[in-house]
Structure formats: C-alpha cells, structure tokens
C-alpha cells in the first residue's frame, strides 16, 4: 500500500457515513475525527510513513511525540470501552489506505496491507487496559480454541446469545445496547473490540489471521490436553444458529 501523508489521513477522517457494504467494518461516527494532533502544519506536511507507530514529529525537542494511538490509549485508560471500540475502527480505516478512508470502511482484502506493528500496538493497548481480557490477540486464541468455528467463537465471546426456544438456538446481539461496555467479572473474554460479521466473516478472518498475531499466539502456546479434549467434546454438539435472526433490523453497524 502506498504511503500516505499525515494531512491526507487527517482530512479523510471527517464526515464518513454508514454503509451496508458486505465484509466490511462499518463506521458510524458521532463526531468528526482527528487522527493526528499537536503537530504544526509545517512539521505534519513533511512526514510520510508506512507504519503509523513509527512516526515521530520532525521538530526536535518536542516534550512528547503525539502518536495516532494516543486517543485510543486515552479511552482505554479511562475504561471508556465504547469509545475505544469506535476509535479502533477509525484507526483500522486510516491504516488500511486511501481507498478505505474515502469509502469509510475496510474491505477484507485490504487488511493484509495494515502494518503488523500497528495492529500489534492496537492489540497491546487493549490487553494492557483490560488485564489481558480484550484484544485481537485474545480473540485469535479463542478462535483457534473454538476450532475456527465462528458460531462457537461468537457464543464464547458473547457476541451471540441463547434464544428463548425449546431447541438450543443462538442469535446475534443487537448493537449497541446488547453488547457489554464494562469490564466485569462476568464479561466474556475477548468480547472487545467488535468486528461486524453479520454479513460475512471474511473481514474478521483476515484480521485474526494477520501475521501480527501469529507471534503472540506462539508465545502463549496451544491449549492444554484437557482443553483440547473439552473442545472436541463440544464439537459434537455445535449450537444452532437461527437463520431468521439475520433478517431482523437492529443496527449492527459495529
């Protein structure tokens, strides 16, 4: 992906609109977005980068270098997980390139162009401020433990809930009201950040299989023999997804 200037990224993040395009992260901001800040016009216009985390202002002697991840870090440090979730999507759109910025969402095929260092920085912030319970790396581990079965994976993370039916069936939670925005003892591991998978799982699969998370998974190691046995047992009784739930109208624009 071609490099982009601070100004072009900055300007592209005002007034995006919601879209229903498939296999994409949906973006519905409540306020205009400013990705880069505390930089003078002269310094910002001279900076280009292929990795947002590697950028520092060219002006010497700055007290603290502003980074594209400062807003996310601020929301997470104050446990404002709802805003942190929105900020994460905005960062992914910025990092995916100019085409994603113009349309306001990310195609699954663009995820490969996001630098691993930037995805790792986002993931580390989520982990650091959630006691290791949130983040893409956590989701990757849970996905693998679920045998890469997305229905089981979504139930495990609390993205789906059991329906009030005689037969065991599950439906997607409605965004935003039915999702959990506080870190409590009963908040499912990996519940945040959210990725819209209602209309397909290609985008989420592309994120979870990004090289950025292969190293962290190797460091954590695979599951224990007991965990693997439990997963195989669960595989025999996969929960059923109620197809009719997909046709409902709640806002799934996460």
């Amino acid at each position: 992906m071609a490099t982009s200037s601070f100004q072009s990224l900055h300007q592209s993040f005002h007034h995006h609109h919601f879209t229903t395009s498939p296999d994409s992260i949906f973006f519905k901001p409540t306020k205009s977005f400013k990705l880069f800040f505390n930089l003078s016009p002269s310094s910002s216009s001279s900076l280009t980068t292929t990795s947002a985390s590697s950028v520092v202002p060219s002006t010497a002697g700055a007290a603290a270098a502003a980074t594209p991840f400062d807003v996310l870090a601020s929301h997470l440090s104050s446990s404002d997980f709802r805003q942190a979730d929105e900020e994460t999507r905005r960062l992914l759109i910025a990092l995916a390139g100019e085409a994603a910025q113009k349309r306001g969402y990310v195609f699954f095929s663009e995820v490969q162009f996001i630098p691993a260092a930037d995805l790792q920085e986002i993931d580390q912030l989520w982990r650091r401020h959630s006691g290791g319970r949130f983040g893409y790396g956590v989701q990757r581990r849970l996905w693998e433990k679920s045998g890469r079965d997305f229905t089981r994976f979504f139930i495990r993370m609390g993205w789906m809930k059991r329906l009030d039916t005689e037969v065991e069936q599950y439906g997607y939670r409605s965004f935003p009201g039915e999702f959990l925005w506080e870190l409590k003892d009963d908040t499912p591991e990996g519940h945040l950040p959210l990725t819209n998978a209602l209309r397909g799982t290609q985008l989420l699969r592309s994120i979870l299989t990004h090289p950025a998370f292969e190293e962290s998974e190797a460091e954590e190691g695979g599951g224990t023999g007991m965990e693997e046995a439990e997963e195989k047992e669960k595989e025999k009784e996969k929960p059923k997804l109620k197809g009719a739930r997909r046709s409902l109208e709640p806002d799934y624009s996460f």
Side-chain angles (χ1 to χ4, degrees), residues 147-206:
R148 295 196 172 193
D149 181 283
F150 278 103
T151 299
R152 291 170 54 206
F153 174 57
F154 293 160
I155 294 172
R156 190 168 191 163
M157 294 194 303
W159 288 10
M160 299 176 70
K161 63 179 182 179
R162 184 167 181 172
L163 303 178
D164 187 17
T165 57
E166 293 183 3
V167 179
E168 184 179 4
Q169 293 181 318
Y170 290 80
Y172 289 103
R173 290 184 182 273
S174 176
F175 179 87
E178 293 186 346
F179 285 90
L180 309 176
W181 304 107
E182 295 182 9
L183 184 60
K184 299 180 179 179
D185 291 340
D186 59 349
T187 302
E189 186 181 18
H191 190 70
L192 298 172
L194 302 180
T195 302
N196 192 330
L198 185 67
R199 298 171 181 84
T201 58
Q202 286 180 299
L203 175 61
L204 182 56
R205 180 185 295 273
S206 296

Side-chain angles (χ1 to χ4, degrees), residues 91 97 225:
L91 283 170

Side-chain angles (χ1 to χ4, degrees), residues 48-194:
T48 58
T49 181
T50 56
S51 174
S53 59
S54 65
V55 175
V56 295
S58 59
T59 304
T67 77
F69 308 105
D70 287 351
V71 176
L72 175 61
S74 176
H75 289 318
L76 288 172
S77 64
S78 61
S79 297
D80 189 347
F81 294 113
R82 173 71 187 280
Q83 288 301 314
D85 185 66
E86 289 191 8
E87 185 68 17
T88 298
R89 281 190 296 282
R90 294 172 180 179
L91 283 170
L92 291 181
I93 293 169
L95 294 168
E98 185 177 352
Q101 295 161 26
K102 288 182 177 179
R103 87 172 73 89
Y105 55 88
V106 180
F107 282 143
F108 75 91
S109 58
E110 295 170 326
V111 173
Q112 62 183 311
F113 302 119
I114 300 178
D118 293 330
L119 279 179
Q120 289 169 347
E121 179 66 20
I122 293 171
D123 182 51
Q124 288 167 9
L125 285 171
W126 274 99
R127 291 189 185 217
R128 184 181 310 143
H129 296 287
S130 66
R133 293 174 60 187
F134 294 155
Y136 291 124
V138 176
Q139 293 175 356
R140 163 70 182 255
R141 173 172 54 80
L142 297 176
W143 182 52
E144 294 290 355
K145 285 186 175 182
S146 300
R148 295 196 172 193
D149 181 283
F150 278 103
T151 299
R152 291 170 54 206
F153 174 57
F154 293 160
I155 294 172
R156 190 168 191 163
M157 294 194 303
W159 288 10
M160 299 176 70
K161 63 179 182 179
R162 184 167 181 172
L163 303 178
D164 187 17
T165 57
E166 293 183 3
V167 179
E168 184 179 4
Q169 293 181 318
Y170 290 80
Y172 289 103
R173 290 184 182 273
S174 176
F175 179 87
E178 293 186 346
F179 285 90
L180 309 176
W181 304 107
E182 295 182 9
L183 184 60
K184 299 180 179 179
D185 291 340
D186 59 349
T187 302
E189 186 181 18
H191 190 70
L192 298 172
L194 302 180

Side-chain angles (χ1 to χ4, degrees), residues 8-36:
S8 64
L9 284 176
H10 181 179
Q11 293 170 356
S12 68
F13 267 80
H14 291 280
H15 308 302
H16 286 296
H17 300 285
F18 172 74
T19 179
T20 57
S21 179
D23 296 325
S24 59
I25 288 180
F26 297 87
F27 179 41
K28 189 176 182 181
T30 56
K31 56 185 178 181
S32 60
F33 174 69
K34 185 176 182 181
L35 179 61
F36 304 102

